[in-house]
Amino acid sequence: MSLQYFAGAACRTLTARKDGPSLYEVCDPILRQPGSGGDPHLSKFYRTALGNPALRTLLRRAGLPELNDPARLNALRQALVLARDNPTPDWESVGGPIAELVDGITLQHPAPPRRTGAVAMPPAAEIDRVIRACGADLLGSYGRNGFIPTYAAFNLIGDPDIRGREVLMALQGLDARGYKNSTLMFNLARVFIARSPAAAVINPPWRGIAEPMWEPVQIRHRSAYYDAFFTEALLSYLETGLASSEQTGAARAAIAAMVDFCLETSREEVRGADGKSYHVVTALAPPPHPRFSRFFTQIKQDLGFGVYVPDCDTTACSFSAATQAGSNDPILDQPLVDFYAGYQVRAGGNEPRVTVPINDNIDYEGGVATWIDSMAGERPYGNDLDPTLNLDVLEVSFRNLTRWQILETEARLAFIRRIVGFQQRLVLSGAFADPRAHIYYLPELYCAYFGRCYHAFMALPQAARQAIDPGGAFELIRLRVLAYVEDELVGREMNPFDAALALIALGHLGGNEASFAPAVHCIVTAFGEGGRRHPYRAYEWNKMKTPTRILVGGPEVTSAFVLMGLALARRCR
């Protein structure tokens, strides 16, 4: 959006007619200062996240007319008092008035228009030029920073899939008190935002599906999950043969350092359901390794995001990247599938493991939950179950099939088959294309990551593929996902990030040759949109739906996806 758009939207916000109490008229009498006893963090969170001068100015004329009713206003305030003063409140009672307000807002997922007109495949020289630029962007960023950063950004309007029902699920299923507080207050604030002209400032329209990230409010940080992804991107760059000899040496050094960050710096010991000790990979290594600025380190603590635990996705992607890079670290010899089996959902058995079932429109049977209990028993996010994560579990298992003796061990093979069954039901039901089915990712990213998983599966010997998938589930999923990408993703207007995801899926799944051209054309045409520092802008790579919509991505992330997508398109020409 242009400066003219934001200036107009801000002017309309600041001059809007106010009808009903504002967020601050509701909350200031209760939360400007801590209450007596109870939980002091709620007031601290309010002052830090919602009571800052910039947001106060933007929302000062955002009122809710239904709160002119004294009974409704009093019920809302009493809920906040209960959350402030009770160390262990009834979260259904606390969240009820907020959930009712959340159900009064209307948010929608992006619905890009159908693409019109045919486009030609750009020349091979243009494709190679963009690949080289993206490779140089990654290596240049690593050289400047000593790592390749990724960024987080808050979108306070929240996620369309989080309605009142899901707010109550989160309040009751999350574990850490600070995370409950932030979920409560962010969801109250999003009502005032979504129902006022402020929505146009905080959530402007965009082209395509993946949401662009607004640069001024991005929080730079480092995680093993990101280093694993960038490792795969640099390996892809080396495979193209387009890297110079100097870049090749720099890429190999960066890959070795990032694998070390994943397997050593971010390593954490946990206890499996079988009672054995395992080494997994934590979502955020201890300070100073995440590389937050001092300012944001304090803000993170004030917002209640102080405890991080390992997760199954970061562990799987780290092990996979290290395997692809040729690492022989002994941590890779662990039969990770034995540990994951303790987090696999079995109907009627361990279903309560999923405490935040905000995507309960899908059948969890056979899926692996996200968050790993720390050795101290910490589980700040409760637990949830994401389909894309389960593709990563399959992919790393295929790459380590022999090392972990999966085919030779009946229980391990049964574990893998149950995840395959989970994915087959998801895709055949059509739910894979519904954003509500996903916790942390877009359906389009699910398609790209299925392509990545399918590629690893097809690299196995025929006998191994038959043992894992005797019913042909992978071929059924491939056809459904490919049809969705060719019709819904490539068939509509895209931004460069969407186009890169499409190419990854098309390249791995054997897409129609004509389907590549629109995506490649989109990427080549948008080259340079990142300004002087990067080839492309930052877009939504993954997200947290609670406590609000927190996007994760970065211009380097876009470069990495574009590089991998074009490398596949180049190979398929």
Side-chain angles (χ1 to χ4, degrees):
M1 291 294 105
S2 66
L3 284 176
Q4 184 179 6
Y5 169 87
F6 280 108
C11 181
R12 287 187 290 274
T13 300
L14 298 176
T15 59
R17 177 179 172 272
K18 182 171 174 288
D19 184 7
S22 71
L23 174 68
Y24 304 105
E25 289 167 333
V26 172
C27 297
D28 277 358
I30 300 165
L31 299 176
R32 281 295 286 270
Q33 300 296 329
S36 56
D39 179 56
H41 173 261
L42 185 68
S43 294
K44 178 183 280 191
F45 178 88
Y46 173 70
R47 295 193 305 271
T48 303
L50 304 181
N52 63 80
L55 197 59
R56 277 184 175 272
T57 299
L58 195 63
L59 296 182
R60 69 188 181 90
R61 303 192 68 81
L64 298 183
E66 59 264 52
L67 295 184
N68 286 321
D69 178 353
R72 290 199 68 175
L73 177 60
N74 183 62
L76 178 57
R77 283 179 168 163
Q78 288 304 309
L80 296 175
V81 169
L82 179 59
R84 183 195 66 185
D85 293 347
N86 194 321
T88 56
D90 176 351
W91 286 100
E92 186 171 8
S93 297
V94 169
I98 287 93
E100 186 178 353
L101 291 173
V102 169
D103 280 334
I105 64 178
T106 301
L107 298 174
Q108 295 179 328
H109 290 285
R114 301 295 300 185
R115 180 176 50 82
T116 58
V119 295
M121 175 70 79
E126 284 293 293
I127 296 173
D128 289 354
R129 179 175 71 94
V130 175
I131 291 175
R132 287 192 179 98
C134 290
D137 186 38
L138 297 179
L139 293 172
S141 182
Y142 187 89
R144 290 189 302 273
N145 300 295
F147 70 107
I148 303 177
T150 305
Y151 301 82
F154 289 84
N155 185 335
L156 297 181
I157 205 164
D159 195 277
D161 294 318
I162 303 299
R163 309 286 296 164
R165 172 178 175 270
E166 287 74 30
V167 171
L168 292 177
M169 282 182 177
L171 289 174
Q172 295 173 87
L174 297 168
D175 191 45
R177 178 61 186 266
Y179 210 59
K180 290 175 182 281
N181 289 341
S182 57
T183 297
L184 180 76
M185 296 309 301
F186 272 139
N187 277 282
L188 177 58
R190 66 192 286 243
V191 179
F192 289 87
I193 295 167
R195 291 180 54 189
S196 76
V201 179
I202 289 174
N203 194 52
W206 67 86
R207 180 187 180 92
I209 297 171
E211 181 177 344
M213 294 172 61
W214 194 31
E215 189 168 353
V217 292
Q218 293 177 12
I219 304 170
R220 189 182 79 164
H221 61 297
R222 184 183 192 182
S223 165
Y225 182 80
Y226 314 148
D227 275 31
F229 166 71
F230 289 127
T231 293
E232 291 195 20
L234 289 180
L235 288 170
S236 178
Y237 186 40
L238 295 178
E239 288 172 4
T240 66
L242 296 176
S244 67
S245 58
E246 182 181 354
Q247 287 180 323
T248 298
R252 287 175 176 162
I255 288 167
M258 289 191 291
V259 168
D260 183 73
F261 182 83
C262 291
L263 301 189
E264 292 297 330
T265 305
S266 302
R267 181 184 302 210
E268 183 171 341
E269 186 178 3
V270 297
R271 189 77 59 194
D274 56 7
K276 296 179 182 178
S277 175
Y278 292 87
H279 285 99
V280 296
V281 182
T282 193
L284 209 64
H289 300 297
R291 305 292 289 267
F292 286 110
S293 69
R294 185 175 301 174
F295 171 75
F296 280 119
T297 297
Q298 185 59 51
I299 291 292
K300 180 171 69 71
Q301 294 294 120
D302 290 344
L303 294 184
F305 305 141
V307 179
Y308 282 83
V309 292
D311 67 274
C312 293
D313 209 5
T314 300
T315 302
C317 290
S318 296
F319 277 44
S320 174
T323 302
Q324 293 176 65
S327 173
N328 291 313
D329 192 299
I331 193 176
L332 300 175
D333 294 331
Q334 295 177 120
L336 199 58
V337 288
D338 291 353
F339 173 75
Y340 280 150
Y343 285 83
Q344 187 172 50
V345 173
R346 306 295 305 275
N350 64 347
E351 282 181 316
R353 179 171 289 281
V354 180
T355 64
V356 189
I358 57 177
N359 60 340
D360 61 357
N361 59 315
I362 66 173
D363 178 3
Y364 294 149
E365 164 68 31
V368 174
T370 303
W371 298 101
I372 298 170
D373 296 5
S374 72
M375 192 66 87
E378 294 167 313
R379 193 190 300 171
Y381 312 115
N383 224 323
D384 49 49
L385 196 151
D386 185 87
T388 307
L389 177 157
N390 279 266
L391 292 176
D392 293 336
V393 172
L394 286 177
E395 192 266 355
V396 72
S397 299
F398 297 155
R399 292 193 182 278
N400 291 279
L401 195 75
T402 301
R403 174 184 269 157
W404 295 343
Q405 296 186 309
I406 291 175
L407 298 184
E408 296 82 2
T409 310
E410 184 178 350
R412 294 171 185 170
L413 181 58
F415 166 80
I416 295 296
R417 285 177 172 173
R418 282 193 288 270
I419 301 180
V420 173
F422 163 76
Q423 299 291 353
Q424 182 178 15
R425 292 191 302 276
L426 174 83
V427 171
L428 293 185
S429 71
F432 80 100
D434 181 356
R436 186 174 167 240
H438 303 271
I439 300 287
Y440 300 106
Y441 303 96
L442 295 164
E444 290 66 29
L445 194 129
Y446 174 89
C447 296
Y449 275 40
F450 174 73
R452 173 177 174 269
C453 180
Y454 182 80
H455 175 70
F457 176 72
M458 293 303 294
L460 298 174
Q462 170 63 32
R465 298 201 302 269
Q466 180 63 28
I468 292 166
D469 181 23
F474 266 88
E475 181 60 18
L476 290 173
I477 297 172
R478 183 189 77 86
L479 293 174
R480 292 291 183 97
V481 169
L482 187 57
Y484 174 78
V485 172
E486 291 182 336
D487 183 54
E488 285 300 314
L489 185 50
V490 177
R492 296 183 181 274
E493 288 187 358
M494 296 176 284
N495 59 46
F497 199 87
D498 301 332
L501 297 181
L503 290 178
I504 292 171
L506 293 170
H508 284 315
L509 302 180
N512 187 303
E513 185 176 345
S515 297
F516 285 82
V520 175
H521 179 268
C522 172
I523 287 171
V524 171
T525 302
F527 181 77
E529 67 168 16
R532 292 179 297 174
R533 299 183 61 190
H534 302 283
Y536 295 96
R537 297 181 58 185
Y539 292 89
E540 169 191 354
W541 172 21
N542 54 69
K543 60 178 172 285
M544 300 282 284
K545 291 186 175 183
T546 61
T548 188
R549 186 171 166 80
I550 305 176
L551 305 180
V552 175
E556 291 93 345
V557 172
T558 308
S559 287
F561 271 108
V562 166
L563 189 161
M564 292 188 290
L566 288 182
L568 285 168
R570 185 175 183 266
R571 191 186 306 166
C572 297
R573 281 177 63 92

